[in-house]
Amino acid sequence: MKIAIIGAGAAGCFAAIEMKRRCPKADITIYEAGRKPLAKVAVTGGGRCNLTNTFAGVRSMGAAYPRGERLMKRLLKEFSQEDTWRWFESEGVRLVAQDDGCVFPASQDAMEIVNTLLRLLRSHGVRVLTGHRAALIERADGGADGHLRISFADKSLHPQEADAVLLANGGSPKAQGLAMLAPLDVETASPVPSLFSLCLPGDSVTELTGTVVKHAAASLSGTKMRAEGPLLITHWGMSGPAILKLSAYAARQLHDCGYRARLAINWLGDRNAQDVAEMVGALAAGNPKKQLASAYPEQLNARLWQHLLAKCGLKADSRWGELGRKGINKLVATLVDDQYSVNGKCRFKEEFVTCGGVALAAVNPSTLESRSCPGLYFAGETLDIDGITGGFNLQAAWTTGFVAAKAIANRCQAGGKG
């Protein structure tokens, strides 16, 4: 049986290895548009490869996967984060988990993951052809028996036919990236960016670039979209896990409003106005003779505190004992609901992913095979599944790659029939 995989990323390469293990006689070729396989894996997690998450702190599957929650809950029963851990350690990759649940190779080197997968592809005899971008997938001879033909943008490679095709070419920030599916009537969800930092042009907070608040909360004013975690102030605006998670939850809303919105920051994370009022009151009572600039919440640094004082219209050299109820109320309001005007987004290194792709209603949830085109399967970010930062997107790649590989291998063993 001849199998074609489009995309030599995490999902495609992992699926190829799993297919070969289940169906050793299968003839598998991976076609990759870029120059190198697994290029994104090599740089993910700052070059350390955050390859999964323990899910220990995840309150619900929807908190980890803004799109694809129900399907991922189902598929993780087939291949979970624990299975990922065992799979890589069985190949000699020792893994470690951080306190935040992020899992990395103990070497802290993404190339250990890349080289492990490449070694397995070679040992199993999987061909990887780079520099060939798939342009069109269609039924060979107009048939409906699962036999498919792939045409490529570069004419150096003639159209290739296969008994089964796995599309695992990653997310596409533009709808044109899904145009190859046009002849097959596959339902898609319009792709838009996810996991990006927010631009605050002209705001004085950007003068505090490099400032990190370990536990903040970010939300979009007027919505229920909210995320917590570390927050980083940059020279263009705000980033860090709290902002990246918020951008994932609100990916479509932000796209629809042209990335112009009101951003609300609670600099003290999950503490509400009453808690913060008590804290500020205690600061005032305990430091009556100190200047406002010299006594402040331990979660904040001096530069950010002075920025917040100025935003409240309070003088840094005023005494805490002179603040009064009105001043305390201003401080509390700013600490828990500090408002900023968002105007634009900025790609966050390699963590940029796509919301949208092949609609989940268009695939069999047990096999990830197309409902409209037998023999065509999907895995990874090609599907309308995307997670927040923290290893969840790579886990989706391993899981969907595994499920699709198992289904294709079963098809292979059955003689190519669905």
Side-chain angles (χ1 to χ4, degrees):
M1 181 173 174
K2 190 172 182 181
I3 300 166
I5 298 176
I6 299 174
C13 291
F14 190 79
I17 294 164
E18 284 297 315
M19 280 183 221
K20 268 292 193 178
R21 287 178 169 175
R22 286 169 168 72
C23 194
K25 293 183 179 180
D27 180 0
I28 302 176
T29 303
I30 303 177
Y31 301 95
E32 166 58 36
R35 295 181 179 181
K36 294 181 179 180
L38 298 163
K40 191 171 180 179
V41 175
V43 297
T44 190
R48 298 188 298 141
C49 192
N50 181 188
L51 78 164
T52 187
N53 194 286
T54 64
F55 285 70
V58 177
R59 65 182 184 274
S60 69
M61 197 60 66
Y65 294 101
R67 266 72 53 185
E69 169 189 2
R70 292 176 61 187
L71 183 60
M72 283 303 299
K73 188 174 182 178
R74 175 177 182 156
L75 298 184
L76 282 166
K77 294 176 182 177
E78 288 285 319
F79 194 82
S80 68
Q81 65 274 20
E82 290 93 350
D83 293 322
T84 296
W85 189 298
R86 285 190 289 268
W87 195 97
F88 280 99
E89 288 215 323
S90 71
E91 296 300 334
V93 180
R94 190 165 69 86
L95 304 179
V96 293
Q98 296 183 166
D99 291 342
D100 61 2
C102 296
V103 177
F104 294 87
S107 64
Q108 301 291 297
D109 185 0
M111 290 310 297
E112 184 178 10
I113 303 299
V114 171
N115 291 332
T116 296
L117 294 171
L118 292 179
R119 170 178 58 80
L120 291 169
L121 290 172
R122 288 192 297 269
S123 66
H124 286 300
V126 176
R127 288 184 298 277
V128 181
L129 303 181
T130 58
H132 299 294
R133 182 181 298 279
L136 200 67
I137 305 173
E138 55 192 334
R139 294 181 177 88
D141 302 321
D145 61 353
H147 204 57
L148 300 167
R149 179 186 297 113
I150 307 166
S151 300
F152 299 88
D154 60 295
K155 303 305 178 184
S156 62
L157 186 64
H158 296 298
Q160 301 291 304
E161 294 190 2
D163 299 296
V165 172
L166 173 62
L167 184 59
N169 63 334
S172 171
K174 296 182 179 179
Q176 296 95 302
L178 299 169
M180 70 177 77
L181 296 172
L184 303 177
D185 194 30
V186 174
E187 181 186 354
T188 60
S190 175
V192 300
S194 181
L195 289 189
F196 46 83
S197 54
L198 299 175
C199 296
L200 309 174
D203 198 293
S204 61
V205 75
T206 58
E207 297 172 7
L208 308 179
T209 183
T211 295
V212 175
V213 177
K214 291 184 178 179
H215 187 200
S219 60
L220 290 186
S221 297
T223 77
K224 294 182 179 180
M225 302 294 177
R226 185 178 185 277
E228 293 181 22
L231 184 148
L232 169 67
I233 299 174
T234 69
H235 67 273
W236 64 83
M238 292 185 185
S239 189
I243 298 297
L244 296 177
K245 286 191 283 186
L246 179 64
S247 78
Y249 297 146
R252 289 209 177 276
Q253 290 88 337
L254 286 166
H255 173 268
D256 292 345
C257 68
Y259 303 99
R260 289 176 172 81
R262 292 293 292 173
L263 173 68
I265 302 297
N266 182 334
W267 294 105
L268 300 177
D270 56 359
R271 301 185 71 170
N272 60 33
Q274 182 177 342
D275 291 339
V276 175
E278 291 174 1
M279 181 204 70
V280 173
L283 267 175
N287 303 277
K289 296 183 180 180
K290 286 189 177 181
Q291 294 182 347
L292 297 182
S294 61
Y296 49 87
E298 60 182 9
Q299 299 94 326
L300 311 179
N301 66 21
R303 293 174 68 210
L304 176 56
W305 177 245
Q306 291 192 35
H307 166 80
L308 297 176
L309 289 175
K311 199 163 185 180
C312 293
L314 299 174
K315 295 181 179 180
D317 59 359
S318 297
R319 306 289 175 182
W320 272 104
E322 303 167 353
L323 187 57
R325 177 52 56 185
K326 187 175 181 180
I328 288 177
N329 289 341
K330 285 183 178 180
L331 268 178
V332 171
T334 301
L335 286 168
V336 302
D337 188 27
D338 192 14
Q339 297 277 326
Y340 294 89
S341 294
V342 175
N343 189 355
K345 60 175 171 50
C346 184
R347 177 171 177 164
F348 183 75
K349 302 179 182 178
E350 73 285 346
E351 304 296 346
F352 186 88
V353 300
T354 300
C355 156
V358 173
L360 301 187
V363 302
N364 181 325
S366 299
T367 62
L368 302 183
E369 183 178 21
S370 168
R371 293 186 186 275
S372 64
C373 181
L376 177 63
Y377 298 78
F378 305 98
E381 206 183 331
T382 299
L383 290 160
D384 187 17
I385 297 174
D386 65 282
I388 62 173
T389 185
F392 298 103
N393 285 296
L394 273 179
Q395 181 59 52
W398 313 131
T399 295
T400 55
F402 177 91
V403 171
K406 182 179 176 181
I408 294 172
N410 289 341
R411 183 187 184 92
C412 178
Q413 292 164 354
K417 302 297 182 182

mmCIF file of all heavy atoms in Angstrom, residues 10 13 95 166 210-211 243 257-258 325 374 386 390:
data_model
loop_
_atom_site.group_PDB
_atom_site.id
_atom_site.type_symbol
_atom_site.label_atom_id
_atom_site.label_comp_id
_atom_site.label_asym_id
_atom_site.label_seq_id
_atom_site.Cartn_x
_atom_site.Cartn_y
_atom_site.Cartn_z
ATOM 1 N N ALA A 10 5.813 17.672 13.293
ATOM 2 C CA ALA A 10 5.675 16.716 14.387
ATOM 3 C C ALA A 10 4.624 15.658 14.081
ATOM 4 O O ALA A 10 4.878 14.452 14.224
ATOM 5 C CB ALA A 10 5.305 17.465 15.670
ATOM 6 N N CYS A 13 5.656 13.281 10.874
ATOM 7 C CA CYS A 13 6.779 12.365 11.134
ATOM 8 C C CYS A 13 6.401 11.316 12.170
ATOM 9 O O CYS A 13 6.729 10.132 12.037
ATOM 10 C CB CYS A 13 8.001 13.155 11.591
ATOM 11 S SG CYS A 13 8.727 14.192 10.283
ATOM 12 N N LEU A 95 12.888 12.671 30.021
ATOM 13 C CA LEU A 95 12.068 13.873 30.102
ATOM 14 C C LEU A 95 11.975 14.377 31.537
ATOM 15 O O LEU A 95 12.108 13.609 32.490
ATOM 16 C CB LEU A 95 10.655 13.584 29.579
ATOM 17 C CG LEU A 95 10.545 13.033 28.155
ATOM 18 C CD1 LEU A 95 9.091 12.790 27.797
ATOM 19 C CD2 LEU A 95 11.193 13.976 27.149
ATOM 20 N N LEU A 166 -2.230 11.414 4.186
ATOM 21 C CA LEU A 166 -2.365 12.092 5.472
ATOM 22 C C LEU A 166 -1.914 13.538 5.294
ATOM 23 O O LEU A 166 -0.757 13.783 4.955
ATOM 24 C CB LEU A 166 -1.519 11.414 6.550
ATOM 25 C CG LEU A 166 -1.458 12.144 7.898
ATOM 26 C CD1 LEU A 166 -2.840 12.243 8.533
ATOM 27 C CD2 LEU A 166 -0.482 11.466 8.845
ATOM 28 N N GLY A 210 10.885 44.652 29.446
ATOM 29 C CA GLY A 210 11.664 43.688 30.216
ATOM 30 C C GLY A 210 11.080 43.386 31.579
ATOM 31 O O GLY A 210 11.479 42.411 32.233
ATOM 32 N N THR A 211 10.128 44.198 32.022
ATOM 33 C CA THR A 211 9.495 43.962 33.321
ATOM 34 C C THR A 211 8.614 42.709 33.263
ATOM 35 O O THR A 211 7.824 42.547 32.326
ATOM 36 C CB THR A 211 8.635 45.166 33.740
ATOM 37 O OG1 THR A 211 9.493 46.295 33.949
ATOM 38 C CG2 THR A 211 7.861 44.886 35.016
ATOM 39 N N ILE A 243 -0.807 36.800 28.315
ATOM 40 C CA ILE A 243 -1.257 37.441 27.072
ATOM 41 C C ILE A 243 -1.422 36.408 25.961
ATOM 42 O O ILE A 243 -2.392 36.438 25.195
ATOM 43 C CB ILE A 243 -0.269 38.540 26.644
ATOM 44 C CG1 ILE A 243 -0.198 39.644 27.710
ATOM 45 C CG2 ILE A 243 -0.651 39.116 25.285
ATOM 46 C CD1 ILE A 243 -1.490 40.391 27.927
ATOM 47 N N CYS A 257 -12.269 42.196 15.185
ATOM 48 C CA CYS A 257 -12.247 43.635 15.506
ATOM 49 C C CYS A 257 -10.952 44.295 15.028
ATOM 50 O O CYS A 257 -10.631 45.415 15.451
ATOM 51 C CB CYS A 257 -12.450 43.859 16.998
ATOM 52 S SG CYS A 257 -11.089 43.299 18.040
ATOM 53 N N GLY A 258 -10.214 43.599 14.149
ATOM 54 C CA GLY A 258 -9.007 44.195 13.574
ATOM 55 C C GLY A 258 -7.903 44.405 14.594
ATOM 56 O O GLY A 258 -7.047 45.280 14.423
ATOM 57 N N ARG A 325 -8.924 57.783 51.758
ATOM 58 C CA ARG A 325 -9.773 56.771 51.119
ATOM 59 C C ARG A 325 -9.837 56.943 49.606
ATOM 60 O O ARG A 325 -9.828 55.967 48.852
ATOM 61 C CB ARG A 325 -11.174 56.856 51.731
ATOM 62 C CG ARG A 325 -12.208 55.908 51.124
ATOM 63 C CD ARG A 325 -11.735 54.465 51.092
ATOM 64 N NE ARG A 325 -11.342 53.976 52.408
ATOM 65 C CZ ARG A 325 -10.800 52.783 52.614
ATOM 66 N NH1 ARG A 325 -10.521 51.987 51.587
ATOM 67 N NH2 ARG A 325 -10.486 52.395 53.844
ATOM 68 N N PRO A 374 -12.957 9.386 1.165
ATOM 69 C CA PRO A 374 -12.297 8.214 1.759
ATOM 70 C C PRO A 374 -10.829 8.142 1.365
ATOM 71 O O PRO A 374 -10.458 8.443 0.227
ATOM 72 C CB PRO A 374 -13.087 7.041 1.156
ATOM 73 C CG PRO A 374 -14.413 7.617 0.801
ATOM 74 C CD PRO A 374 -14.130 9.025 0.356
ATOM 75 N N ASP A 386 -6.382 23.841 18.266
ATOM 76 C CA ASP A 386 -5.180 24.554 18.699
ATOM 77 C C ASP A 386 -5.240 24.774 20.190
ATOM 78 O O ASP A 386 -6.313 24.916 20.778
ATOM 79 C CB ASP A 386 -4.991 25.871 17.938
ATOM 80 C CG ASP A 386 -6.075 26.891 18.219
ATOM 81 O OD1 ASP A 386 -7.182 26.759 17.662
ATOM 82 O OD2 ASP A 386 -5.813 27.825 18.995
ATOM 83 N N GLY A 390 2.448 26.022 26.203
ATOM 84 C CA GLY A 390 2.744 25.136 27.319
ATOM 85 C C GLY A 390 2.881 23.674 26.933
ATOM 86 O O GLY A 390 2.803 22.797 27.795
#
